[in-house]
Amino acid sequence: MSEIQGTTQLVGVFGWPVAHSLSPAMHNAAFAQQGLDWCYLPFAVAPEQLSQAVRGLRALGLRGANVTVPHKQAVMALMDELTPEARAVGAVNTIVVCEQGLLGHNTDIAGFRRTVDEDGIDVRARTVVVLGAGGAARAVVYALVQAGAKVMLLNRTVARAEALAQAMGIEVTAGVLDAVTLRQTLEGAALVVNTTPLGMWPVVDASPWPEDVPWPQGVPLFDLIYNPGETRLMALARRNGGICLDGLRMLVYQGAEAYALWTGSYPPVEVMYRAAALRLGR
Ligand code: NAP
């Protein structure tokens, strides 16, 4: 980031809390590298202040914002327009301020898709087991179905998995996340995706995987958690021949899509990745 001045274009992230966010480091590193007079700021926005904060985007002349936990669904009602993908997924993570008003996008879909594609994992007509049915699972399930996968969505609260499958209006099989169901669904799986926060720092001993279920030999794992760099679940998959896709790359790619929407210029993703990794002490 160059010196902030009167001409500096502003974007940021709305979250609650937001202090842990890697996005300011990631985006500001890319602005600096590209010599853009832009700055990315963190905004701690309490849920009851969300509508005022969103209105403030226009009032303050910001060019847009990312939206993170817990606002991704609530913010939808505050948009003037939604992309078809954001509407289908039922979540917005990027707002673009344009002449017509506020446009809500979902770049998590592209972030997930690009990470899977880069690792050469072909999910077409194959079973993908998704653990968890919260906010992150929405974009993941949508991207997988678009790619032609047969999605098995397993969640502690089965009603939530069923509701998500139904709300998205797409063919997804939902079930409870327990040892019996997991064993039944793993047959022929091309990929397992963890969208639960189990194993995330600081509770790094946790895992969504039942102790008595062996990891399916050689099946890759995409754990969306990026802190720590290796979760307990990743260690289990690696010990059993499964490669692990990098959750930090998904974060960088969703950020890169947002950056391109705001600035019209695609960022240097390796610069963003290094800045994020540095913040994590890697
Ligand atoms: P969320 O909306 O709170 O959903 C959490 C999910 O995990 C729910 O399905 C919940 O099940 C399940 N869960 C929570 N605690 C559990 C437990 N003790 N046992 C079994 N299941 C449990 O969270 P989110 O926004 O989806 O985020 C999930 C994770 O994804 C976080 O670690 C986040 O950092 C990560 N993420 C990464 C990226 C990336 O770019 N890499 C992007 C988005 C999110 P119930 O429905 O039963 O409560």
Side-chain angles (χ1 to χ4, degrees), residues 69 72 132-137 155-157 160 195-198 200 224-226 247 250-251:
V69 178
K72 287 184 184 181
N155 195 41
R156 174 178 61 178
T157 312
R160 197 171 177 198
T195 75
T196 79
L198 294 177
M200 187 166 73
L224 264 55
I225 294 172
Y226 47 80
M250 173 174 166
L251 183 82

Side-chain angles (χ1 to χ4, degrees), residues 121-138:
I121 294 172
D122 187 0
V123 297
R124 255 172 312 164
R126 304 276 311 275
T127 298
V128 177
V129 180
V130 177
L131 313 178
R138 304 182 83 89

Side-chain angles (χ1 to χ4, degrees), residues 90-110:
V92 161
N93 80 325
T94 302
I95 304 171
V96 177
V97 180
C98 47
E99 276 187 12
Q100 299 79 4
L102 303 178
L103 181 55
H105 293 256
N106 189 309
T107 68
D108 284 333
I109 304 165

Side-chain angles (χ1 to χ4, degrees), residues 71-82:
H71 303 312
K72 287 184 184 181
Q73 284 169 264
V75 81
M76 289 183 73
L78 305 169
M79 298 295 99
D80 296 304
E81 215 176 309
L82 295 167

